[in-house]
Amino acid sequence: MTDPALVGDPVLVRVAGLPAALPAALGTPDLTERIRHLIRAETAYRACAADVAERIGVELVPALPREARRQALDVRRRLHRGEFVQPGDLDFRPLARIAEWGDALAAETAALHDAVEQTARMHHGLVWDLISGDPEAARMVAATAPGVVEDIRARLAAGEPWTGKALRKRADHLLRLLFRAAFKTTPRGWLAHVALAETGPGPLTVGDHAVHRLSNIQEDRRRLTAAPILPDAWLSLTALRWTEGDRLCWHVADHDGPDAVRRGDIRRTPVVDALCRVLGARAMRTRDVVTLLAPDARRKPVLREFLRHLAQLGLVQVSSAPTGRLHRWRVAAGPGSGFTDVYRRAHGGVAVPSRLPELVAHAGRLAAVIADRRSHPALDLVGPEPRPLSEIVAEALDSGEPSRPALPGSAWPEPRPRTTYQRCASGWPGTPAKARSSWARPCWTTSAHRPRGRRRGRSTACSARCREAGPCWRPSPRRA
């Protein structure tokens, strides 16, 4: 029930990009109910089998001759484990009934296994039929994964079955898209619909779309940089640059690299120095930069090609102003490129429990307690004196290797006197005791140093320490 004091307050509602009923149509409730029934039957069978096993031990085993007891005891152990059994030559009525029950459960398990496999074989084709039959789902999938849709159509036209590996993988990808659109709490792009509503009596319904699209600056930069001819866009120098002698160095983002950051450098020629003086910390149009650096018209094509080369290296950044477009309320809208915000028109109210303010306050206090207050390691490099940002980034990247955990303390037993193990643990003349404790470990490379029952093998670091030690180490005959 909604608190009267909260009626009329605005609330932001997250709306699924696709109806939840769409992926729910792929469910198999009859098969799920059969599985639940089989689980309950197997649980009851195990309980009854344990009772029959107890009765076999009390009633049947004492009355059997010695030759038949072995079979009875074997059946009794299997019943205690909940397995299916056959009575064999044992004449015991409870055992015959539990064996018939086990045969029925085994037949039902086999039939259910075949039904699950048949459903799995049909499932991938059902995903494609479901998407093809719904216009909104087809539009969403075509805009989100156009390559997958085209590949599926080409493979189906070529006669490939859905049981093939390629189509199975693509059907699983489509299924993940459906679930992300319908059930994920924080989807991206077109799948993230929001609506502004008010608290009050429901039900809440949503209608028309309003879409705001904004171009992606990074995608525009990659497109402009990869152009065969340098376009007339905005040029600027990357911010993370510094000089080392006669070299101009810089760091640039590399989304395709393993470290996401790429370092580059170039020799400081007169043209490079002039470019740095012209651009500095500002952005200029390509035509203005070319006019200032090459007044002679004959040199402008060469300079443009050189600027394009610097843009591909990452020293020069080519960008354009982001463009946005707002599509006002309409009945339906489709996905597009760039950053997309989708707004829906809401009708009705949202029921809010009276304890909502108290619950929000509790959540805020809990978030403050469990929040990770640890600062980034790069912040430790910032001191009271001003430093260039490029130096801080370079130092953070150079020292960015995570520290290796310390070796655990030794838990080896005390060595016996006058043994090889004792000579290893005791060290050699001239070695401090503190240093010996860090590498005093048993040597297992050779059979003389390896305890009985221990496999051959030892880390390279241990072998290196033993080589430096001298008297204890000797190469294995297989590796000499």
Side-chain angles (χ1 to χ4, degrees):
M1 182 176 180
T2 304
D3 188 354
L6 299 177
V7 174
D9 291 344
V11 293
L12 191 64
V13 181
R14 145 80 168 108
V15 183
L18 290 177
L22 191 65
L26 298 172
T28 53
D30 53 343
L31 191 61
T32 304
E33 185 59 32
R34 288 180 60 184
I35 295 175
R36 291 175 178 171
H37 176 73
L38 180 61
I39 292 175
R40 291 193 293 265
E42 289 179 345
T43 303
Y45 173 82
R46 285 191 292 269
C48 184
D51 295 339
V52 173
E54 292 295 335
R55 292 186 60 182
I56 289 177
V58 175
E59 303 176 16
L60 182 62
V61 172
L64 291 176
R66 181 176 299 179
E67 292 78 10
R69 288 183 181 178
R70 179 177 299 178
Q71 182 183 2
L73 292 176
D74 179 67
V75 172
R76 179 174 177 268
R77 285 191 295 268
R78 295 182 61 186
L79 287 175
H80 272 301
R81 293 195 296 264
E83 299 177 1
F84 302 148
V85 296
Q86 294 297 329
D89 299 333
L90 301 178
D91 186 11
F92 193 57
R93 187 173 181 81
L95 179 59
R97 290 197 297 266
I98 199 69
E100 294 178 358
W101 191 4
D103 294 340
L105 288 179
E108 175 63 19
T109 302
L112 186 59
H113 186 270
D114 295 339
V116 169
E117 287 187 349
Q118 183 179 2
T119 304
R121 287 193 298 267
M122 299 173 53
H123 190 265
H124 300 93
L126 292 176
V127 175
W128 177 252
D129 295 339
L130 187 65
I131 293 176
S132 302
D134 190 278
E136 293 186 6
R139 186 167 55 249
M140 182 274 298
V141 172
T144 307
V148 176
V149 175
E150 295 175 0
D151 185 71
I152 290 177
R153 289 174 178 171
R155 292 180 181 275
L156 291 177
E160 290 191 23
W162 283 106
T163 54
K165 181 178 180 181
L167 284 181
R168 282 191 289 108
K169 292 175 63 176
R170 282 149 183 80
D172 291 340
H173 180 65
L174 295 180
L175 185 61
R176 288 193 297 270
L177 287 179
L178 290 181
F179 275 89
R180 189 177 70 185
F183 300 129
K184 191 173 181 182
T185 56
T186 55
R188 301 185 301 272
W190 169 257
L191 304 180
H193 296 195
V194 292
L196 185 63
E198 294 182 352
T199 57
L204 177 69
T205 59
V206 293
D208 300 343
H209 299 72
V211 182
H212 179 255
R213 291 193 176 96
L214 186 66
S215 60
N216 191 329
I217 297 178
Q218 297 298 332
E219 291 182 359
D220 293 344
R221 282 182 176 178
R222 287 192 287 268
R223 177 178 53 83
L224 295 173
T225 303
I229 300 176
L230 185 65
D232 187 17
W234 291 99
L235 301 184
S236 62
L237 295 177
T238 182
L240 301 178
R241 65 183 189 278
W242 69 97
T243 57
E244 292 183 0
D246 63 340
R247 311 291 295 184
L248 179 61
C249 308
W250 65 88
H251 284 296
V252 65
D254 184 12
H255 301 284
D256 299 329
D259 300 328
V261 176
R262 184 180 78 250
R263 172 176 171 150
D265 63 273
I266 194 173
R267 190 166 60 89
R268 294 179 55 191
T269 61
V271 179
V272 174
D273 291 340
L275 177 64
C276 293
R277 288 193 302 269
V278 169
L279 288 178
R282 59 180 177 173
M284 297 178 61
R285 303 294 295 186
T286 304
R287 58 177 180 272
D288 298 334
V289 176
V290 173
T291 301
L292 291 175
L293 294 179
D296 189 357
R298 293 175 298 179
R299 295 188 176 183
K300 288 184 178 182
V302 178
L303 181 59
R304 280 182 172 272
E305 186 64 24
F306 181 65
L307 292 176
R308 176 174 170 271
H309 174 66
L310 294 181
Q312 293 177 348
L313 292 179
L315 176 61
V316 175
Q317 293 183 344
V318 187
S319 58
S320 61
T323 58
R325 186 176 180 182
L326 177 62
H327 302 272
R328 299 190 179 275
W329 298 109
R330 59 183 64 182
V331 177
S337 60
F339 297 105
T340 305
D341 294 324
V342 184
Y343 306 96
R344 305 291 294 271
R345 196 191 298 272
H347 306 279
V350 179
V352 178
S354 58
R355 293 189 57 204
L356 180 62
E358 180 184 358
L359 297 176
V360 172
H362 286 331
R365 288 192 294 269
L366 182 61
V369 171
I370 65 177
D372 189 359
R373 298 181 176 87
R374 293 177 297 176
S375 60
H376 195 276
L379 297 179
D380 298 335
L381 305 176
V382 181
E385 299 296 332
R387 296 180 59 189
L389 179 61
S390 58
E391 293 183 4
I392 298 176
V393 173
E395 186 175 349
L397 293 176
D398 293 340
S399 61
E401 183 179 358
S403 58
R404 298 179 180 178
L407 294 175
S410 175
W412 299 104
E414 291 295 329
R416 295 189 299 273
R418 296 183 299 277
T419 60
T420 306
Y421 180 20
Q422 192 270 340
R423 291 198 301 271
C424 284
S426 300
W428 288 266
T431 304
K434 184 177 180 181
R436 290 198 303 267
S437 62
S438 63
W439 48 257
R441 301 288 189 272
C443 302
W444 295 342
T445 301
T446 63
S447 59
H449 296 178
R450 187 170 64 251
R452 292 183 178 179
R454 189 76 183 195
R455 291 184 177 182
R456 178 186 299 272
R458 186 184 47 171
S459 66
T460 307
C462 181
S463 301
R465 297 191 195 103
C466 292
R467 286 194 192 94
E468 295 174 359
C472 169
W473 186 86
R474 63 177 183 272
S476 172
R478 298 183 180 181
R479 300 181 180 181

